[in-house]
Amino acid sequence: MSRVRYAVIGHPVAHSLSPRIHAAFGQQTGIALEYTAIDAGCGRFDAVLAEFAAEGGRGANVTLPHKARAAAICQHLSERARRAGAVNTLVRTNTGWEGDNTDGAGLVRDLTERHGQDLRGRRALLIGAGGAAHGVAPALLDAGVEDLFIVNRTGSHVDALADALGEPGRVHPRYLSDVGTLGVFDLVINATSAARVGTPLDLPGGLFAPRGDAVDLSYGEAAIGFLSWARASGADRTIDGLGMLVEQAAESFLRWHGVHPDTDPVYAMLREQQDVLVTAD
Ligand code: ATR
């Protein structure tokens, strides 16, 4: 029997951990699947996806820089994908593609189940208003965060995100340059691409409440700068995005195969490999 095809589509995508994660989930659950990484440079997403569908593609994860484009081509969007304005999970239907977004659920599951956090009533700061911030903000509100301050370098981007979230009483868009005037936070989340594009974030001290935690949605080298700054600034716990990556993959796996895999062994395997990589040079 030929294996059904799944893939992660992005650019760059060669170093994506998703093929390893989905192979491990498939092995664990006894589901035969083929999951590959497909590079689609800017402007090539539609053509690459059409080719993938023609070759039997049944589901795909979408990563940078195509999450907004993926949302635009879907015949149907889940409620959470619609609120995020971005799709990271595509499901093939008889009539085209259905889009979902599992990033926010992945982050919340990692924070609450793996790290034992209770997000209810917390005063949270989300830094960034791009695709990553759009993906996680609705889930943070759904998880019961009391106040969500969102700061961004470009004002129009953060205003657009706040408008899309539509909860003016709880969501507070601000300029990044004003971040030092907003008080202290129980949770500070870095959703910028600053480290990836090589222009470090410039943040003041004094942002963490007692027992306030820091989260970077990136992992590996890209998370080191922000999490080191957070530790030096008095954050209690510092959490990178590796757990979120595994959890969002598990949510996608559930959409495609109807089974939620056990994420702990896969997370442990990747954590061990990441630690080796990050300390190697
Ligand atoms: P992603 O999908 O990773 O979120 P993106 O949609 O390009 O990528 O968004 C990048 C985010 O990081 C934006 O919020 C961007 O700020 P602007 O909206 O002002 O461009 C933010 N960002 C990138 N580099 C930054 C830096 N050096 N300092 C502050 N914010 C930065």
mmCIF file of all heavy atoms in Angstrom, residues 143-172:
data_model
loop_
_atom_site.group_PDB
_atom_site.id
_atom_site.type_symbol
_atom_site.label_atom_id
_atom_site.label_comp_id
_atom_site.label_asym_id
_atom_site.label_seq_id
_atom_site.Cartn_x
_atom_site.Cartn_y
_atom_site.Cartn_z
ATOM 1 N N ALA A 143 -7.291 31.267 26.673
ATOM 2 C CA ALA A 143 -6.773 30.571 27.869
ATOM 3 C C ALA A 143 -6.990 31.400 29.134
ATOM 4 O O ALA A 143 -6.647 30.960 30.220
ATOM 5 C CB ALA A 143 -5.293 30.248 27.688
ATOM 6 N N GLY A 144 -7.521 32.618 28.985
ATOM 7 C CA GLY A 144 -7.915 33.380 30.171
ATOM 8 C C GLY A 144 -6.961 34.464 30.612
ATOM 9 O O GLY A 144 -7.122 35.011 31.708
ATOM 10 N N VAL A 145 -5.964 34.803 29.753
ATOM 11 C CA VAL A 145 -5.087 35.930 30.089
ATOM 12 C C VAL A 145 -5.966 37.162 30.349
ATOM 13 O O VAL A 145 -6.899 37.435 29.597
ATOM 14 C CB VAL A 145 -4.120 36.175 28.902
ATOM 15 C CG1 VAL A 145 -3.535 37.554 28.940
ATOM 16 C CG2 VAL A 145 -3.019 35.117 28.898
ATOM 17 N N GLU A 146 -5.672 37.879 31.438
ATOM 18 C CA GLU A 146 -6.576 38.973 31.808
ATOM 19 C C GLU A 146 -6.349 40.223 30.948
ATOM 20 O O GLU A 146 -7.286 40.824 30.435
ATOM 21 C CB GLU A 146 -6.384 39.323 33.272
ATOM 22 C CG GLU A 146 -7.403 40.332 33.759
ATOM 23 C CD GLU A 146 -7.457 40.382 35.271
ATOM 24 O OE1 GLU A 146 -7.636 39.312 35.890
ATOM 25 O OE2 GLU A 146 -7.269 41.475 35.825
ATOM 26 N N ASP A 147 -5.067 40.604 30.834
ATOM 27 C CA ASP A 147 -4.716 41.740 29.993
ATOM 28 C C ASP A 147 -3.619 41.308 29.043
ATOM 29 O O ASP A 147 -2.622 40.728 29.474
ATOM 30 C CB ASP A 147 -4.201 42.907 30.847
ATOM 31 C CG ASP A 147 -5.351 43.684 31.452
ATOM 32 O OD1 ASP A 147 -6.136 44.261 30.679
ATOM 33 O OD2 ASP A 147 -5.473 43.665 32.690
ATOM 34 N N LEU A 148 -3.807 41.585 27.762
ATOM 35 C CA LEU A 148 -2.792 41.262 26.769
ATOM 36 C C LEU A 148 -2.289 42.563 26.158
ATOM 37 O O LEU A 148 -2.979 43.187 25.345
ATOM 38 C CB LEU A 148 -3.369 40.339 25.685
ATOM 39 C CG LEU A 148 -2.381 39.876 24.613
ATOM 40 C CD1 LEU A 148 -1.246 39.051 25.228
ATOM 41 C CD2 LEU A 148 -3.084 39.058 23.533
ATOM 42 N N PHE A 149 -1.090 42.990 26.610
ATOM 43 C CA PHE A 149 -0.425 44.133 25.988
ATOM 44 C C PHE A 149 0.357 43.587 24.794
ATOM 45 O O PHE A 149 1.053 42.575 24.918
ATOM 46 C CB PHE A 149 0.523 44.817 26.979
ATOM 47 C CG PHE A 149 -0.198 45.672 27.983
ATOM 48 C CD1 PHE A 149 -0.824 45.099 29.077
ATOM 49 C CD2 PHE A 149 -0.282 47.048 27.812
ATOM 50 C CE1 PHE A 149 -1.515 45.882 29.999
ATOM 51 C CE2 PHE A 149 -0.965 47.834 28.721
ATOM 52 C CZ PHE A 149 -1.586 47.255 29.824
ATOM 53 N N ILE A 150 0.227 44.249 23.648
ATOM 54 C CA ILE A 150 0.991 43.835 22.469
ATOM 55 C C ILE A 150 1.823 45.035 22.036
ATOM 56 O O ILE A 150 1.276 46.132 21.822
ATOM 57 C CB ILE A 150 0.082 43.393 21.310
ATOM 58 C CG1 ILE A 150 -0.972 42.390 21.794
ATOM 59 C CG2 ILE A 150 0.919 42.769 20.194
ATOM 60 C CD1 ILE A 150 -1.967 41.973 20.715
ATOM 61 N N VAL A 151 3.137 44.862 21.972
ATOM 62 C CA VAL A 151 3.999 45.967 21.551
ATOM 63 C C VAL A 151 4.689 45.606 20.249
ATOM 64 O O VAL A 151 5.036 44.447 20.012
ATOM 65 C CB VAL A 151 5.066 46.321 22.628
ATOM 66 C CG1 VAL A 151 4.402 46.881 23.869
ATOM 67 C CG2 VAL A 151 5.943 45.135 22.971
ATOM 68 N N ASN A 152 4.861 46.611 19.406
ATOM 69 C CA ASN A 152 5.507 46.373 18.120
ATOM 70 C C ASN A 152 6.199 47.643 17.650
ATOM 71 O O ASN A 152 5.811 48.750 17.992
ATOM 72 C CB ASN A 152 4.468 45.927 17.081
ATOM 73 C CG ASN A 152 5.120 45.303 15.870
ATOM 74 O OD1 ASN A 152 5.960 44.418 16.010
ATOM 75 N ND2 ASN A 152 4.760 45.764 14.684
ATOM 76 N N ARG A 153 7.269 47.425 16.877
ATOM 77 C CA ARG A 153 8.041 48.531 16.320
ATOM 78 C C ARG A 153 7.167 49.388 15.408
ATOM 79 O O ARG A 153 7.160 50.604 15.478
ATOM 80 C CB ARG A 153 9.188 47.887 15.518
ATOM 81 C CG ARG A 153 10.351 48.713 15.190
ATOM 82 C CD ARG A 153 11.422 47.831 14.581
ATOM 83 N NE ARG A 153 10.906 46.972 13.493
ATOM 84 C CZ ARG A 153 11.645 46.143 12.785
ATOM 85 N NH1 ARG A 153 12.934 46.008 13.043
ATOM 86 N NH2 ARG A 153 11.119 45.426 11.826
ATOM 87 N N THR A 154 6.360 48.743 14.561
ATOM 88 C CA THR A 154 5.519 49.455 13.595
ATOM 89 C C THR A 154 4.083 49.520 14.124
ATOM 90 O O THR A 154 3.430 48.483 14.296
ATOM 91 C CB THR A 154 5.542 48.719 12.231
ATOM 92 O OG1 THR A 154 6.899 48.521 11.852
ATOM 93 C CG2 THR A 154 4.812 49.510 11.158
ATOM 94 N N GLY A 155 3.603 50.729 14.369
ATOM 95 C CA GLY A 155 2.302 50.910 15.001
ATOM 96 C C GLY A 155 1.148 50.333 14.201
ATOM 97 O O GLY A 155 0.229 49.724 14.750
ATOM 98 N N SER A 156 1.179 50.487 12.866
ATOM 99 C CA SER A 156 0.038 50.030 12.063
ATOM 100 C C SER A 156 -0.126 48.513 12.158
ATOM 101 O O SER A 156 -1.247 47.990 12.126
ATOM 102 C CB SER A 156 0.210 50.452 10.601
ATOM 103 O OG SER A 156 1.422 49.934 10.088
ATOM 104 N N HIS A 157 1.003 47.782 12.314
ATOM 105 C CA HIS A 157 0.909 46.320 12.392
ATOM 106 C C HIS A 157 0.245 45.884 13.704
ATOM 107 O O HIS A 157 -0.575 44.970 13.732
ATOM 108 C CB HIS A 157 2.303 45.683 12.289
ATOM 109 C CG HIS A 157 2.957 45.918 10.954
ATOM 110 N ND1 HIS A 157 4.300 45.665 10.711
ATOM 111 C CD2 HIS A 157 2.458 46.387 9.785
ATOM 112 C CE1 HIS A 157 4.589 45.966 9.458
ATOM 113 N NE2 HIS A 157 3.489 46.410 8.874
ATOM 114 N N VAL A 158 0.604 46.559 14.792
ATOM 115 C CA VAL A 158 0.025 46.150 16.085
ATOM 116 C C VAL A 158 -1.436 46.581 16.170
ATOM 117 O O VAL A 158 -2.272 45.870 16.752
ATOM 118 C CB VAL A 158 0.884 46.669 17.265
ATOM 119 C CG1 VAL A 158 0.719 48.150 17.509
ATOM 120 C CG2 VAL A 158 0.561 45.891 18.546
ATOM 121 N N ASP A 159 -1.781 47.698 15.546
ATOM 122 C CA ASP A 159 -3.191 48.113 15.533
ATOM 123 C C ASP A 159 -4.035 47.112 14.743
ATOM 124 O O ASP A 159 -5.162 46.787 15.130
ATOM 125 C CB ASP A 159 -3.327 49.511 14.911
ATOM 126 C CG ASP A 159 -2.813 50.587 15.865
ATOM 127 O OD1 ASP A 159 -2.689 50.305 17.077
ATOM 128 O OD2 ASP A 159 -2.528 51.708 15.394
ATOM 129 N N ALA A 160 -3.487 46.626 13.635
ATOM 130 C CA ALA A 160 -4.224 45.654 12.819
ATOM 131 C C ALA A 160 -4.458 44.369 13.606
ATOM 132 O O ALA A 160 -5.548 43.785 13.559
ATOM 133 C CB ALA A 160 -3.453 45.355 11.530
ATOM 134 N N LEU A 161 -3.447 43.938 14.359
ATOM 135 C CA LEU A 161 -3.606 42.710 15.154
ATOM 136 C C LEU A 161 -4.661 42.925 16.239
ATOM 137 O O LEU A 161 -5.539 42.078 16.445
ATOM 138 C CB LEU A 161 -2.257 42.295 15.765
ATOM 139 C CG LEU A 161 -2.284 41.131 16.750
ATOM 140 C CD1 LEU A 161 -2.972 39.903 16.169
ATOM 141 C CD2 LEU A 161 -0.859 40.767 17.192
ATOM 142 N N ALA A 162 -4.595 44.058 16.928
ATOM 143 C CA ALA A 162 -5.576 44.329 17.990
ATOM 144 C C ALA A 162 -6.992 44.398 17.410
ATOM 145 O O ALA A 162 -7.933 43.861 18.003
ATOM 146 C CB ALA A 162 -5.221 45.627 18.708
ATOM 147 N N ASP A 163 -7.143 45.020 16.245
ATOM 148 C CA ASP A 163 -8.468 45.091 15.604
ATOM 149 C C ASP A 163 -8.987 43.698 15.281
ATOM 150 O O ASP A 163 -10.161 43.394 15.484
ATOM 151 C CB ASP A 163 -8.394 45.906 14.299
ATOM 152 C CG ASP A 163 -8.271 47.401 14.581
ATOM 153 O OD1 ASP A 163 -8.445 47.792 15.755
ATOM 154 O OD2 ASP A 163 -7.982 48.151 13.635
ATOM 155 N N ALA A 164 -8.091 42.844 14.769
ATOM 156 C CA ALA A 164 -8.507 41.488 14.401
ATOM 157 C C ALA A 164 -8.935 40.705 15.644
ATOM 158 O O ALA A 164 -9.856 39.888 15.581
ATOM 159 C CB ALA A 164 -7.366 40.761 13.691
ATOM 160 N N LEU A 165 -8.297 40.953 16.785
ATOM 161 C CA LEU A 165 -8.636 40.223 18.015
ATOM 162 C C LEU A 165 -9.965 40.703 18.580
ATOM 163 O O LEU A 165 -10.722 39.919 19.164
ATOM 164 C CB LEU A 165 -7.529 40.387 19.057
ATOM 165 C CG LEU A 165 -6.211 39.693 18.690
ATOM 166 C CD1 LEU A 165 -5.090 40.143 19.615
ATOM 167 C CD2 LEU A 165 -6.380 38.174 18.742
ATOM 168 N N GLY A 166 -10.230 42.003 18.395
ATOM 169 C CA GLY A 166 -11.552 42.528 18.717
ATOM 170 C C GLY A 166 -11.965 42.491 20.177
ATOM 171 O O GLY A 166 -13.140 42.305 20.446
ATOM 172 N N GLU A 167 -11.032 42.610 21.106
ATOM 173 C CA GLU A 167 -11.425 42.667 22.522
ATOM 174 C C GLU A 167 -10.770 43.885 23.162
ATOM 175 O O GLU A 167 -9.811 43.751 23.928
ATOM 176 C CB GLU A 167 -11.001 41.390 23.244
ATOM 177 C CG GLU A 167 -11.728 40.163 22.765
ATOM 178 C CD GLU A 167 -11.701 39.043 23.791
ATOM 179 O OE1 GLU A 167 -11.915 39.316 24.992
ATOM 180 O OE2 GLU A 167 -11.446 37.912 23.398
ATOM 181 N N PRO A 168 -11.274 45.083 22.853
ATOM 182 C CA PRO A 168 -10.597 46.309 23.267
ATOM 183 C C PRO A 168 -10.391 46.431 24.779
ATOM 184 O O PRO A 168 -9.446 47.075 25.232
ATOM 185 C CB PRO A 168 -11.514 47.421 22.744
ATOM 186 C CG PRO A 168 -12.760 46.768 22.276
ATOM 187 C CD PRO A 168 -12.499 45.326 22.076
ATOM 188 N N GLY A 169 -11.232 45.798 25.581
ATOM 189 C CA GLY A 169 -11.056 45.883 27.034
ATOM 190 C C GLY A 169 -9.858 45.113 27.541
ATOM 191 O O GLY A 169 -9.262 45.459 28.565
ATOM 192 N N ARG A 170 -9.494 44.062 26.832
ATOM 193 C CA ARG A 170 -8.402 43.186 27.294
ATOM 194 C C ARG A 170 -7.134 43.325 26.476
ATOM 195 O O ARG A 170 -6.057 42.941 26.922
ATOM 196 C CB ARG A 170 -8.844 41.717 27.210
ATOM 197 C CG ARG A 170 -9.892 41.321 28.207
ATOM 198 C CD ARG A 170 -10.461 39.961 27.822
ATOM 199 N NE ARG A 170 -9.539 38.879 28.138
ATOM 200 C CZ ARG A 170 -9.604 37.664 27.585
ATOM 201 N NH1 ARG A 170 -10.519 37.387 26.676
ATOM 202 N NH2 ARG A 170 -8.751 36.726 27.924
ATOM 203 N N VAL A 171 -7.268 43.816 25.246
ATOM 204 C CA VAL A 171 -6.111 43.868 24.342
ATOM 205 C C VAL A 171 -5.631 45.312 24.224
ATOM 206 O O VAL A 171 -6.420 46.209 23.930
ATOM 207 C CB VAL A 171 -6.498 43.322 22.944
ATOM 208 C CG1 VAL A 171 -5.338 43.480 21.973
ATOM 209 C CG2 VAL A 171 -6.912 41.867 23.044
ATOM 210 N N HIS A 172 -4.334 45.523 24.488
ATOM 211 C CA HIS A 172 -3.803 46.885 24.524
ATOM 212 C C HIS A 172 -2.615 47.013 23.564
ATOM 213 O O HIS A 172 -1.511 46.583 23.898
ATOM 214 C CB HIS A 172 -3.346 47.231 25.946
ATOM 215 C CG HIS A 172 -4.351 46.823 26.991
ATOM 216 N ND1 HIS A 172 -5.527 47.508 27.208
ATOM 217 C CD2 HIS A 172 -4.369 45.768 27.849
ATOM 218 C CE1 HIS A 172 -6.212 46.909 28.176
ATOM 219 N NE2 HIS A 172 -5.537 45.851 28.576
#
